[in-house]
Amino acid sequence: MSDKNLAGFRSDLTLIMAYQEQLDAQAAIKGNPKGRRPDVNEYQSELHNNFNIICLPIVVAANWYHIYSCYMQPVDADPFTWMSISRHSNNNSWPICWWVFAAYITIDTLWVALFPRCVANANTILLHHALCIGGWWLGSQWSELECDVSSSLLVEFNTWLLILKRKFIEDSFWKRFIKMLDDVSWVILRLCLFPCIVYQAWGGYFYQLKHFPDSPLGGYWNTSLYGVVSGTMLLAQQWQWTRDKYFKSWFKSSKENVLDDHMNKLHDYFNIIFLPGLVILWYWHQYDLFMAGPDTTPVEGTFI
């Protein structure tokens, strides 16, 4: 083969390879709705899955222990809603449950933030965790919300099944069994129970307003409002995930919704400009609270 023909062959081969890369990129985009990362690192993902498979049963056990303790207490004389059980466990189950989940969610959040390629959509997971952390901290500050905040963890049993299902690649009895448990618990916990939990949380918020000024929260704008708003946002995420899991074929147009680079950069600039000011104000407020010293009469039932 002459040098001229060889150069032409190499040029054609280069064009074919470039065209194939474009096809692969287009296929990744079409099968990658909402800008999810197509480059998930299998090793990091496997480590992250193993971490959750080991730790989530501990979280679930601590949560069930606390919910059982609340259930065994007498029903409150002034319940938030008709679904209310005791707002307090009156034993050490709540500190155990709180610290177990606080440790888990902190480690998992740092894990996803430092190694975003361990999951398909790190931004969604981090948003979910941010909402959970805020609500969980709220539960440690106001003992009246103890049972409601803890109840939101009941869905973690389904999360554990969802991750455990990924361990079974080949079709088998156990894979089908776990998939069945996943589907059943998804409907019961995420679609039936979680809306009831959010309804109960809103009932607690309006209960606080009704008993103002005797209620320690007081007024419409209080920390309990964050809890009910974040709970409602988590409920919206449950519905979104349900759509993606079971009804994706009904929303074919959403498959073309890929990440917009221009809008993404504008959003980044917005956060780069405003977040430093927000962080400074937050640290200023926390510093003033710390320098003020502890309350002479702390809120009954809190432990932080």
Side-chain angles (χ1 to χ4, degrees):
M1 183 181 292
S2 64
D3 292 341
K4 183 177 180 180
N5 292 336
L6 182 60
F9 174 76
R10 288 176 176 173
S11 177
D12 292 340
L13 182 61
T14 302
L15 290 174
I16 292 173
M17 294 176 64
Y19 179 67
Q20 183 62 44
E21 289 180 357
Q22 292 180 2
L23 290 179
D24 293 341
Q26 292 176 3
I29 291 175
K30 289 182 178 180
N32 186 32
K34 303 179 184 177
R36 288 176 180 164
R37 300 177 65 95
D39 55 338
V40 174
N41 186 289
E42 294 297 332
Y43 176 71
Q44 294 180 9
S45 178
E46 187 71 14
L47 285 178
H48 185 248
N49 288 341
N50 291 337
F51 165 76
N52 280 276
I53 289 172
I54 294 172
C55 293
L56 278 176
I58 303 175
V59 173
V60 171
N63 175 239
W64 286 1
Y65 172 44
H66 175 247
I67 296 298
Y68 174 77
S69 298
C70 291
Y71 179 78
M72 294 303 294
Q73 296 296 317
V75 178
D76 295 322
D78 53 344
F80 289 161
T81 69
W82 62 272
M83 295 186 299
S84 296
I85 57 177
S86 175
R87 293 196 283 270
H88 304 283
S89 58
N90 295 321
N91 60 17
N92 62 352
S93 62
W94 175 228
I96 292 174
C97 178
W98 195 91
W99 283 110
V100 166
F101 183 72
Y104 162 77
I105 199 69
T106 301
I107 295 173
D108 198 56
T109 301
L110 290 175
W111 195 319
V112 175
L114 294 175
F115 306 100
R117 294 178 62 191
C118 70
V119 292
N121 194 334
N123 291 336
T124 300
I125 299 299
L126 291 175
L127 172 62
H128 180 77
H129 283 191
L131 295 172
C132 292
I133 290 173
W136 201 243
W137 177 258
L138 184 63
S140 71
Q141 299 302 300
W142 301 109
S143 60
E144 295 290 306
L145 306 176
E146 171 188 326
C147 185
D148 294 339
V149 172
S150 177
S151 299
S152 62
L153 291 190
L154 291 172
V155 298
E156 295 303 327
F157 175 69
N158 175 259
T159 303
W160 179 68
L161 291 173
L162 187 65
I163 298 173
L164 182 63
K165 186 176 62 175
R166 301 171 188 166
K167 304 293 290 185
F168 297 89
I169 300 176
E170 298 181 358
D171 187 28
S172 64
F173 166 79
W174 288 110
K175 180 177 181 179
R176 295 182 182 182
F177 179 71
I178 293 175
K179 184 180 184 304
M180 179 194 69
L181 291 179
D182 171 38
D183 292 335
V184 172
S185 62
W186 184 287
V187 173
I188 295 176
L189 297 178
R190 296 185 186 272
L191 301 184
C192 296
L193 185 61
F194 201 82
C196 296
I197 295 171
V198 175
Y199 168 77
Q200 172 74 9
W202 278 102
Y205 171 68
F206 287 114
Y207 174 91
Q208 303 289 348
L209 301 183
K210 182 179 178 181
H211 291 78
F212 177 78
D214 296 332
S215 167
L217 296 179
Y220 284 91
W221 295 100
N222 57 61
T223 50
S224 181
L225 181 61
Y226 169 83
V228 294
V229 171
S230 62
T232 304
M233 293 179 66
L234 290 173
L235 177 61
Q237 277 195 322
Q238 309 298 336
W239 290 340
Q240 179 186 10
W241 293 339
T242 301
R243 185 201 67 178
D244 293 341
K245 184 175 183 178
Y246 296 109
F247 305 103
K248 185 177 292 186
S249 60
W250 294 13
F251 303 90
K252 293 183 179 180
S253 60
S254 66
K255 292 185 178 181
E256 303 300 327
N257 294 335
V258 296
L259 188 65
D260 188 314
D261 289 334
H262 176 67
M263 296 302 297
N264 187 43
K265 289 181 180 179
L266 287 179
H267 184 254
D268 287 344
Y269 290 143
F270 167 79
N271 283 280
I272 289 172
I273 293 171
F274 283 94
L275 280 178
L278 182 63
V279 171
I280 291 172
L281 291 174
W282 183 84
Y283 275 111
W284 179 26
H285 179 239
Q286 295 298 315
Y287 174 77
D288 285 344
L289 289 177
F290 180 78
M291 295 302 294
D295 295 328
T296 55
T297 56
V299 178
E300 183 181 357
T302 59
F303 57 93
I304 293 182

Short mmCIF file of all heavy atoms in Angstrom, two decimals, residues 187-227:
data_model
loop_
_atom_site.label_atom_id
_atom_site.label_comp_id
_atom_site.label_asym_id
_atom_site.label_seq_id
_atom_site.Cartn_x
_atom_site.Cartn_y
_atom_site.Cartn_z
N VAL A 187 -44.75 0.85 47.42
CA VAL A 187 -46.13 1.34 47.41
C VAL A 187 -46.60 1.64 48.83
O VAL A 187 -47.19 2.69 49.10
CB VAL A 187 -47.06 0.32 46.73
CG1 VAL A 187 -48.51 0.73 46.87
CG2 VAL A 187 -46.69 0.15 45.26
N ILE A 188 -46.32 0.72 49.77
CA ILE A 188 -46.82 0.89 51.14
C ILE A 188 -46.12 2.05 51.84
O ILE A 188 -46.79 2.92 52.45
CB ILE A 188 -46.64 -0.41 51.94
CG1 ILE A 188 -47.53 -1.52 51.35
CG2 ILE A 188 -46.99 -0.19 53.40
CD1 ILE A 188 -47.33 -2.86 52.02
N LEU A 189 -44.80 2.09 51.77
CA LEU A 189 -44.04 3.06 52.55
C LEU A 189 -43.97 4.43 51.89
O LEU A 189 -44.18 5.46 52.54
CB LEU A 189 -42.62 2.53 52.82
CG LEU A 189 -42.53 1.25 53.64
CD1 LEU A 189 -41.08 0.81 53.77
CD2 LEU A 189 -43.16 1.44 55.01
N ARG A 190 -43.68 4.46 50.60
CA ARG A 190 -43.44 5.74 49.92
C ARG A 190 -44.73 6.39 49.42
O ARG A 190 -44.85 7.62 49.44
CB ARG A 190 -42.47 5.56 48.76
CG ARG A 190 -41.07 5.12 49.19
CD ARG A 190 -40.12 5.07 48.02
NE ARG A 190 -38.82 4.52 48.39
CZ ARG A 190 -37.80 5.24 48.88
NH1 ARG A 190 -37.95 6.54 49.03
NH2 ARG A 190 -36.66 4.66 49.19
N LEU A 191 -45.67 5.57 48.94
CA LEU A 191 -46.87 6.13 48.33
C LEU A 191 -48.06 6.18 49.27
O LEU A 191 -48.99 6.97 49.05
CB LEU A 191 -47.24 5.33 47.07
CG LEU A 191 -46.17 5.29 45.97
CD1 LEU A 191 -46.70 4.55 44.75
CD2 LEU A 191 -45.72 6.70 45.59
N CYS A 192 -48.09 5.33 50.29
CA CYS A 192 -49.21 5.32 51.23
C CYS A 192 -48.84 5.93 52.58
O CYS A 192 -49.53 6.83 53.08
CB CYS A 192 -49.72 3.89 51.43
SG CYS A 192 -50.41 3.14 49.93
N LEU A 193 -47.75 5.45 53.18
CA LEU A 193 -47.39 5.88 54.53
C LEU A 193 -46.77 7.28 54.55
O LEU A 193 -47.10 8.09 55.42
CB LEU A 193 -46.45 4.87 55.16
CG LEU A 193 -46.07 5.14 56.62
CD1 LEU A 193 -47.31 5.13 57.50
CD2 LEU A 193 -45.08 4.10 57.12
N PHE A 194 -45.86 7.57 53.60
CA PHE A 194 -45.16 8.85 53.65
C PHE A 194 -46.11 10.04 53.49
O PHE A 194 -45.93 11.05 54.19
CB PHE A 194 -44.06 8.91 52.59
CG PHE A 194 -43.00 9.92 52.89
CD1 PHE A 194 -41.97 9.63 53.77
CD2 PHE A 194 -43.04 11.19 52.32
CE1 PHE A 194 -41.00 10.57 54.07
CE2 PHE A 194 -42.08 12.14 52.61
CZ PHE A 194 -41.06 11.82 53.48
N PRO A 195 -47.12 9.99 52.62
CA PRO A 195 -48.09 11.10 52.60
C PRO A 195 -48.80 11.28 53.95
O PRO A 195 -49.08 12.44 54.34
CB PRO A 195 -49.08 10.69 51.50
CG PRO A 195 -48.29 9.81 50.60
CD PRO A 195 -47.36 9.06 51.50
N CYS A 196 -49.07 10.18 54.65
CA CYS A 196 -49.68 10.30 55.98
C CYS A 196 -48.73 10.98 56.95
O CYS A 196 -49.16 11.77 57.82
CB CYS A 196 -50.06 8.91 56.50
SG CYS A 196 -51.33 8.07 55.54
N ILE A 197 -47.43 10.68 56.83
CA ILE A 197 -46.44 11.31 57.71
C ILE A 197 -46.39 12.82 57.45
O ILE A 197 -46.31 13.63 58.40
CB ILE A 197 -45.06 10.66 57.50
CG1 ILE A 197 -45.09 9.19 57.94
CG2 ILE A 197 -43.98 11.43 58.25
CD1 ILE A 197 -43.84 8.42 57.57
N VAL A 198 -46.42 13.21 56.17
CA VAL A 198 -46.41 14.64 55.84
C VAL A 198 -47.68 15.31 56.34
O VAL A 198 -47.65 16.43 56.87
CB VAL A 198 -46.25 14.83 54.31
CG1 VAL A 198 -46.37 16.30 53.94
CG2 VAL A 198 -44.91 14.28 53.85
N TYR A 199 -48.81 14.64 56.20
CA TYR A 199 -50.08 15.17 56.73
C TYR A 199 -49.98 15.35 58.25
O TYR A 199 -50.43 16.36 58.80
CB TYR A 199 -51.21 14.21 56.38
CG TYR A 199 -52.50 14.50 57.11
CD1 TYR A 199 -53.33 15.57 56.72
CD2 TYR A 199 -52.91 13.71 58.18
CE1 TYR A 199 -54.52 15.83 57.39
CE2 TYR A 199 -54.10 13.96 58.85
CZ TYR A 199 -54.90 15.02 58.45
OH TYR A 199 -56.07 15.27 59.12
N GLN A 200 -49.38 14.39 58.92
CA GLN A 200 -49.21 14.48 60.37
C GLN A 200 -48.30 15.64 60.73
O GLN A 200 -48.54 16.35 61.72
CB GLN A 200 -48.62 13.16 60.88
CG GLN A 200 -48.20 13.16 62.34
CD GLN A 200 -49.38 13.12 63.29
OE1 GLN A 200 -50.51 12.93 62.87
NE2 GLN A 200 -49.10 13.30 64.57
N ALA A 201 -47.25 15.86 59.93
CA ALA A 201 -46.33 16.97 60.19
C ALA A 201 -47.04 18.32 60.05
O ALA A 201 -46.85 19.23 60.88
CB ALA A 201 -45.14 16.90 59.24
N TRP A 202 -47.84 18.46 59.02
CA TRP A 202 -48.61 19.70 58.87
C TRP A 202 -49.60 19.87 60.03
O TRP A 202 -49.84 21.00 60.50
CB TRP A 202 -49.36 19.72 57.54
CG TRP A 202 -48.50 20.15 56.39
CD1 TRP A 202 -47.92 19.35 55.45
CD2 TRP A 202 -48.13 21.49 56.07
NE1 TRP A 202 -47.20 20.10 54.56
CE2 TRP A 202 -47.32 21.43 54.91
CE3 TRP A 202 -48.41 22.73 56.63
CZ2 TRP A 202 -46.77 22.56 54.32
CZ3 TRP A 202 -47.85 23.87 56.04
CH2 TRP A 202 -47.06 23.78 54.89
N GLY A 203 -50.18 18.77 60.50
CA GLY A 203 -51.05 18.84 61.66
C GLY A 203 -50.32 19.35 62.88
O GLY A 203 -50.87 20.15 63.67
N GLY A 204 -49.05 18.91 63.06
CA GLY A 204 -48.25 19.41 64.17
C GLY A 204 -47.94 20.88 64.04
O GLY A 204 -47.94 21.63 65.03
N TYR A 205 -47.68 21.33 62.80
CA TYR A 205 -47.40 22.76 62.58
C TYR A 205 -48.61 23.62 62.95
O TYR A 205 -48.49 24.62 63.67
CB TYR A 205 -47.00 22.97 61.13
CG TYR A 205 -46.88 24.43 60.73
CD1 TYR A 205 -45.86 25.23 61.24
CD2 TYR A 205 -47.78 24.99 59.84
CE1 TYR A 205 -45.75 26.56 60.88
CE2 TYR A 205 -47.69 26.33 59.47
CZ TYR A 205 -46.67 27.11 59.99
OH TYR A 205 -46.56 28.43 59.63
N PHE A 206 -49.77 23.22 62.46
CA PHE A 206 -50.98 24.01 62.77
C PHE A 206 -51.36 23.89 64.24
O PHE A 206 -51.99 24.80 64.80
CB PHE A 206 -52.12 23.57 61.86
CG PHE A 206 -51.98 24.04 60.45
CD1 PHE A 206 -51.79 23.13 59.42
CD2 PHE A 206 -52.02 25.38 60.14
CE1 PHE A 206 -51.64 23.56 58.11
CE2 PHE A 206 -51.88 25.83 58.83
CZ PHE A 206 -51.69 24.92 57.81
N TYR A 207 -50.98 22.78 64.87
CA TYR A 207 -51.21 22.65 66.32
C TYR A 207 -50.40 23.71 67.06
O TYR A 207 -50.90 24.33 68.02
CB TYR A 207 -50.80 21.25 66.77
CG TYR A 207 -50.85 21.05 68.27
CD1 TYR A 207 -52.01 20.56 68.88
CD2 TYR A 207 -49.75 21.32 69.07
CE1 TYR A 207 -52.06 20.37 70.25
CE2 TYR A 207 -49.79 21.13 70.44
CZ TYR A 207 -50.93 20.66 71.03
OH TYR A 207 -50.97 20.48 72.38
N GLN A 208 -49.15 23.91 66.63
CA GLN A 208 -48.31 24.93 67.26
C GLN A 208 -48.92 26.32 67.09
O GLN A 208 -48.90 27.15 68.01
CB GLN A 208 -46.90 24.90 66.67
CG GLN A 208 -46.20 23.56 66.77
CD GLN A 208 -45.80 23.22 68.18
OE1 GLN A 208 -45.84 24.06 69.07
NE2 GLN A 208 -45.42 21.96 68.42
N LEU A 209 -49.47 26.59 65.92
CA LEU A 209 -50.07 27.91 65.69
C LEU A 209 -51.31 28.10 66.55
O LEU A 209 -51.56 29.19 67.08
CB LEU A 209 -50.44 28.06 64.21
CG LEU A 209 -49.31 27.93 63.19
CD1 LEU A 209 -49.82 28.18 61.79
CD2 LEU A 209 -48.17 28.88 63.52
N LYS A 210 -52.08 27.05 66.68
CA LYS A 210 -53.32 27.11 67.45
C LYS A 210 -53.05 27.42 68.92
O LYS A 210 -53.85 28.07 69.59
CB LYS A 210 -54.08 25.80 67.31
CG LYS A 210 -55.42 25.75 68.02
CD LYS A 210 -56.10 24.41 67.80
CE LYS A 210 -57.42 24.34 68.55
NZ LYS A 210 -58.08 23.01 68.36
N HIS A 211 -51.90 26.93 69.42
CA HIS A 211 -51.57 27.10 70.83
C HIS A 211 -50.59 28.25 71.07
O HIS A 211 -49.93 28.30 72.11
CB HIS A 211 -51.00 25.80 71.40
CG HIS A 211 -52.02 24.70 71.50
ND1 HIS A 211 -52.44 23.98 70.42
CD2 HIS A 211 -52.73 24.22 72.57
CE1 HIS A 211 -53.34 23.08 70.80
NE2 HIS A 211 -53.53 23.22 72.08
N PHE A 212 -50.45 29.13 70.12
CA PHE A 212 -49.62 30.32 70.32
C PHE A 212 -50.33 31.26 71.31
O PHE A 212 -51.55 31.41 71.23
CB PHE A 212 -49.40 31.02 68.97
CG PHE A 212 -48.62 32.30 69.07
CD1 PHE A 212 -47.25 32.26 69.20
CD2 PHE A 212 -49.27 33.52 69.04
CE1 PHE A 212 -46.52 33.43 69.30
CE2 PHE A 212 -48.55 34.70 69.15
CZ PHE A 212 -47.17 34.65 69.28
N PRO A 213 -49.65 31.92 72.26
CA PRO A 213 -48.20 31.95 72.46
C PRO A 213 -47.66 30.90 73.43
O PRO A 213 -46.49 30.95 73.79
CB PRO A 213 -47.99 33.36 73.02
CG PRO A 213 -49.21 33.58 73.86
CD PRO A 213 -50.34 32.89 73.14
N ASP A 214 -48.50 29.98 73.88
CA ASP A 214 -48.02 28.96 74.82
C ASP A 214 -47.01 28.03 74.14
O ASP A 214 -46.13 27.49 74.79
CB ASP A 214 -49.19 28.14 75.36
CG ASP A 214 -50.14 29.00 76.19
OD1 ASP A 214 -49.66 29.99 76.78
OD2 ASP A 214 -51.34 28.68 76.23
N SER A 215 -47.16 27.80 72.86
CA SER A 215 -46.23 26.93 72.13
C SER A 215 -44.86 27.58 72.07
O SER A 215 -44.74 28.79 71.86
CB SER A 215 -46.75 26.68 70.71
OG SER A 215 -45.74 26.09 69.92
N PRO A 216 -43.79 26.81 72.28
CA PRO A 216 -42.44 27.40 72.24
C PRO A 216 -42.04 27.88 70.85
O PRO A 216 -41.15 28.71 70.73
CB PRO A 216 -41.54 26.25 72.71
CG PRO A 216 -42.32 25.01 72.41
CD PRO A 216 -43.75 25.37 72.61
N LEU A 217 -42.68 27.34 69.80
CA LEU A 217 -42.31 27.77 68.45
C LEU A 217 -42.87 29.15 68.15
O LEU A 217 -42.15 30.04 67.74
CB LEU A 217 -42.81 26.75 67.41
CG LEU A 217 -42.17 25.36 67.52
CD1 LEU A 217 -42.75 24.43 66.46
CD2 LEU A 217 -40.67 25.44 67.36
N GLY A 218 -44.17 29.33 68.33
CA GLY A 218 -44.76 30.66 68.26
C GLY A 218 -44.82 31.29 66.89
O GLY A 218 -43.80 31.46 66.23
N GLY A 219 -46.01 31.66 66.44
CA GLY A 219 -46.17 32.39 65.19
C GLY A 219 -46.09 31.51 63.96
O GLY A 219 -45.73 30.34 64.02
N TYR A 220 -46.41 32.12 62.81
CA TYR A 220 -46.39 31.36 61.56
C TYR A 220 -44.97 31.05 61.10
O TYR A 220 -44.71 30.00 60.54
CB TYR A 220 -47.14 32.15 60.47
CG TYR A 220 -48.64 32.11 60.63
CD1 TYR A 220 -49.30 33.08 61.36
CD2 TYR A 220 -49.38 31.08 60.05
CE1 TYR A 220 -50.69 33.05 61.51
CE2 TYR A 220 -50.77 31.04 60.20
CZ TYR A 220 -51.41 32.03 60.93
OH TYR A 220 -52.77 31.98 61.07
N TRP A 221 -44.06 32.01 61.31
CA TRP A 221 -42.69 31.83 60.83
C TRP A 221 -41.84 31.25 61.95
O TRP A 221 -41.33 31.96 62.80
CB TRP A 221 -42.12 33.16 60.35
CG TRP A 221 -42.86 33.68 59.17
CD1 TRP A 221 -43.83 34.64 59.16
CD2 TRP A 221 -42.73 33.24 57.82
NE1 TRP A 221 -44.31 34.82 57.90
CE2 TRP A 221 -43.64 33.99 57.04
CE3 TRP A 221 -41.92 32.29 57.18
CZ2 TRP A 221 -43.78 33.81 55.67
CZ3 TRP A 221 -42.06 32.12 55.81
CH2 TRP A 221 -42.97 32.87 55.07
N ASN A 222 -41.72 29.93 61.96
CA ASN A 222 -40.92 29.26 62.97
C ASN A 222 -40.21 28.08 62.34
O ASN A 222 -40.43 27.75 61.18
CB ASN A 222 -41.80 28.83 64.15
CG ASN A 222 -42.94 27.93 63.71
OD1 ASN A 222 -42.70 26.86 63.16
ND2 ASN A 222 -44.18 28.36 63.94
N THR A 223 -39.36 27.44 63.11
CA THR A 223 -38.55 26.35 62.56
C THR A 223 -39.39 25.15 62.16
O THR A 223 -38.98 24.35 61.33
CB THR A 223 -37.49 25.92 63.58
OG1 THR A 223 -38.13 25.69 64.85
CG2 THR A 223 -36.42 26.97 63.75
N SER A 224 -40.56 25.01 62.74
CA SER A 224 -41.42 23.91 62.35
C SER A 224 -41.88 24.04 60.91
O SER A 224 -42.15 23.04 60.24
CB SER A 224 -42.64 23.85 63.29
OG SER A 224 -43.48 22.78 62.95
N LEU A 225 -41.95 25.29 60.41
CA LEU A 225 -42.36 25.49 59.03
C LEU A 225 -41.36 24.86 58.07
O LEU A 225 -41.75 24.30 57.04
CB LEU A 225 -42.49 27.00 58.74
CG LEU A 225 -42.93 27.38 57.33
CD1 LEU A 225 -44.31 26.81 57.02
CD2 LEU A 225 -42.92 28.90 57.15
N TYR A 226 -40.07 24.94 58.42
CA TYR A 226 -39.08 24.27 57.57
C TYR A 226 -39.34 22.78 57.52
O TYR A 226 -39.22 22.15 56.46
CB TYR A 226 -37.66 24.51 58.10
CG TYR A 226 -36.64 23.63 57.40
CD1 TYR A 226 -36.11 24.01 56.18
CD2 TYR A 226 -36.24 22.41 57.96
CE1 TYR A 226 -35.20 23.20 55.52
CE2 TYR A 226 -35.34 21.60 57.30
CZ TYR A 226 -34.81 22.00 56.09
OH TYR A 226 -33.93 21.19 55.43
N GLY A 227 -39.69 22.20 58.65
CA GLY A 227 -39.93 20.76 58.68
C GLY A 227 -41.04 20.32 57.77
O GLY A 227 -40.91 19.34 57.02
#
